Amino acid sequence: MELTALPIGKSAIIAGLKAKGLMRRRLLDLGLVPATTIEAVRRSPAGDPVAYRVRGTVIALRAEESRLITVRP
Amino acid sequence: MDLKHAGPGPAPEPVVALAGNPNTGKSTIFNGLTGLKQHTGNWPGKTVTQTKGRYRHRNRTINLVDLPGTYSLLAGSPEEQVARDFICFGAPSVTIVVVDAGCLERHLNLVLQVMEITPKTILCVNLIDEAEKRNIRIDYKKLQSLLGIPVVPTAAREKKGLDNLKNTVDDLVAGKIKPFPRLPVYEEPLEQALQALGKSLQRFYGGHLNPRWLALRLLDGDPALRAQLKEALRENPKAGIPGTEQEELIAAFLQEAAAYRRKLGPGLRDRVVRSLYWRAEEIVAAVVRKPPGKVADWNDRIDNIVTSRLYSYPIILLLLGFIFWLTIAGANYPSELLARLLFGLEGKLAAAGQSLGVPAWLDGLLVKGVYRSLAWVVSVMLPPMAIFFPLFTFLEDLGFLPRVAFNLDKFFKKAGAHGKQSLTMCMGFGCNAVGVTACRIIDSARERLIAILTNNFVPCNGRFPTLFIMASFFSVVLLGRKNSLLASSLVLLVILAGVGATLLCSLLLSKTILRGIPSTFTLELPGYRWPKVGTLLIRSILDRTLFVLGRAVTIAAPAGGLVWLLANIQSGDGSLLTQMAGWLQGFGNLLGMDGYIILAFILGLPANEIVLPILVMGYLSGSYLLEPESVEAFHALFLANGWTWLTALNVMLFSLLHFPCGTTLLTIRKETLSWKWTFLSVLLPTAAGITLCFLITQVARFFRLV
């Protein structure tokens, strides 16, 4: 499923990235490589972006980006 | 940015580079080592250009270069290029990589990348005090042996471990430590390719770049880096190889590399980064012990409130409103005291001048022109800044600002802009030139340009005194007495108008001249850190308050002299200043202001700080009946010149919406490398200001509100 579908407070494992180019490189550098555990921590009061915990840091992603990340439970 | 020549060169003093992820306390380390006052905030991407400093230790002078904070050296954002180019081509004697002890795994990615470039790498594990508080235990000895490079734990804010860091740098420079970095091992086909290419390289390459790293980046690097590397190959031939032979070897080598690239197939970068993180995971599993289970720490609890639907926006508004209220209310008394003191001195200065036989015109120029504007700038600007900057720095150091970006991003997205623009706007509150430079943290060209062109819509510190005085005048006219609550609400309202104008203009720009797809958005939310009040006070007063005041004073002094001359050189019916104001009177009247006000804004181009002093001098040029020694005296002066609440409102709005100051304009030109964008940055706010003031004035006059 897409990362956007991950409910707040739940964790999943990154299965793959559909992002291309600069966005892909940026996500990889932040440690969002396949098989990484990712947890949806909180949603912005405006609904978007959503903050995710990856490798001990909290990173906010817009729906445009998180849609390009596939996860499995 | 030509960093190839910023390296050690012929200088005997060793150069040490300081690299690290954003928000690891890298700048605190830099300050701790050099004693240089460079401001550090608790939000990612603070150091946008590299800062240089030096320190002496064990009879050796070390030049320290603070590189921009980067997550990696591979993605190709401007900061990453600066950092990478310096480490690769600047050839520093030692590179210190600063990491956060609390999230070692993510940060080791960068450490491994730097180790691949240069063996002379020191891992500085910073923020160990915070990690200890969270019961995170790190086995530094084991970490050192697993990496093969020196590891130094520090708590830079507590000044812990810095001496050890200096010793380690010295040992590495002196060759007392010989690091044997244990580099990450990649998949078998890639390792074979790296070995083969490395061997070929040694036949003709005589430069200092590590052959393994060079080969790796030729295989997976971005085109810009590949071009740079090819150039490096040509420029650094191995001794004793004739030029033609070298050319042939390079051509053959590049062909070999291209063949390997095809063989290794697409997605090589993914595999490389994955290997780096696997290695990081392995190391962390071996050296870090964390308390089991999930700890619901106070950090999360604060964020639950700060980013909640109910409280998030009121908190931002209240916090900013509170800061402005405290600034207005608190600055009043010290301002008066300073003014009484400084203007009291003015009389003594004038008397001293007379007794020394100084001619009247020179006395006037120096005392009534230069000194008076100096006294004005100091007494009006110093107290609010000394309150505003420490408070704002507190929010910055606390880590509150990334939350602001997080809460507000959706609105920026709708305006075609980047949420990080709210951070550059926050910087703009201090100084727009600083805000414009800070736009480098936005890595898409379009959103960055939007942020640069609209930064001026945020009132900088130089405009706050004007806003505060106008707001308190507004309250006096409306209520008959000064009301801090009304005044601070009005200031907050004007700031919100500025934010609104920013979003509107961003939208306009993104839909018209700058149409395109939004860039990648990632925003790190670092943990809150309780600021150290002592250093916070020293830094915010020294680095910001006195820095901005110093700049204002250096500009205000000559400008004060010039305006005094304009006010006192008679030609025809009156002084030059009166005549110039007369030409602008009709235009000013249309906007609900007068010629003197418009003239003050124009003559205030060098710095927004001097707009009010110029205005006061203009009003006083006819008569010297009134000495502006308190806020009340200003109010009386404005009333005497026919001001109403509408005048004050328009001055506030025009102060918000007019051309950027000279420094900011030059910065915009430097950042965009284009006079066209610089001109647009003048046109956009000025047109908005003129339109808004005109509309408000005409409506108010139509309904006979004034």
Side-chain angles (χ1 to χ4, degrees), chain B residues 540-558:
Chain B
S540 59
I541 301 282
L542 285 181
D543 301 356
R544 293 191 147 165
T545 309
L546 291 186
F547 171 77
V548 176
L549 187 75
R551 213 187 46 193
V553 159
T554 34
I555 294 165

Side-chain angles (χ1 to χ4, degrees), chain A residues 24 26 29 48 55 60 62, chain B residues 105 270 277 413 443 523:
Chain A
R24 187 185 190 90
R26 174 73 61 216
D29 283 334
D48 192 46
R55 298 180 189 274
R62 284 177 176 171
Chain B
E105 190 177 304
D270 284 31
Y277 270 107
K413 188 169 89 177
D443 46 23
L523 172 74

Side-chain angles (χ1 to χ4, degrees), chain B residues 328 465-484 486-488 490-491 592 597 612 615 619 630-652:
Chain B
I328 295 183
T466 312
L467 294 181
F468 289 146
I469 287 178
M470 290 303 129
S472 73
F473 177 80
F474 186 89
S475 74
V476 168
V477 176
L478 228 57
L479 301 177
R481 65 189 166 81
K482 197 179 151 191
N483 182 315
S484 297
L486 177 69
S488 40
L490 190 63
V491 171
I597 301 174
L612 261 196
L615 181 60
Y619 280 153
S630 67
V631 178
E632 283 71 30
F634 285 116
H635 295 170
L637 178 68
F638 296 147
L639 282 174
N641 281 280
W643 281 39
T644 62
W645 63 268
L646 183 65
T647 324
L649 183 66
N650 281 327
V651 172
M652 284 180 91

Side-chain angles (χ1 to χ4, degrees), chain B residues 25 28-29 32 126-129 154-160 162:
Chain B
T28 317
I29 298 247
N126 193 28
L127 303 168
I128 53 167
D129 45 339
T154 58
R157 294 196 321 159
E158 315 283 340
K159 305 232 179 298
K160 274 187 204 153
L162 290 179

Side-chain angles (χ1 to χ4, degrees), chain B residues 581-595:
Chain B
W583 300 329
L584 294 165
Q585 181 61 35
F587 177 66
N589 188 40
L590 272 181
L591 307 185
M593 295 182 274
D594 63 28

Side-chain angles (χ1 to χ4, degrees), chain B residues 366-389:
Chain B
L366 291 180
V367 175
K368 289 218 166 60
V370 175
Y371 180 79
R372 185 175 279 187
S373 55
L374 276 181
W376 206 91
V377 165
V378 171
S379 62
V380 168
M381 285 190 66
L382 185 57
M385 280 199 311
I387 298 171
F388 179 80
F389 271 141

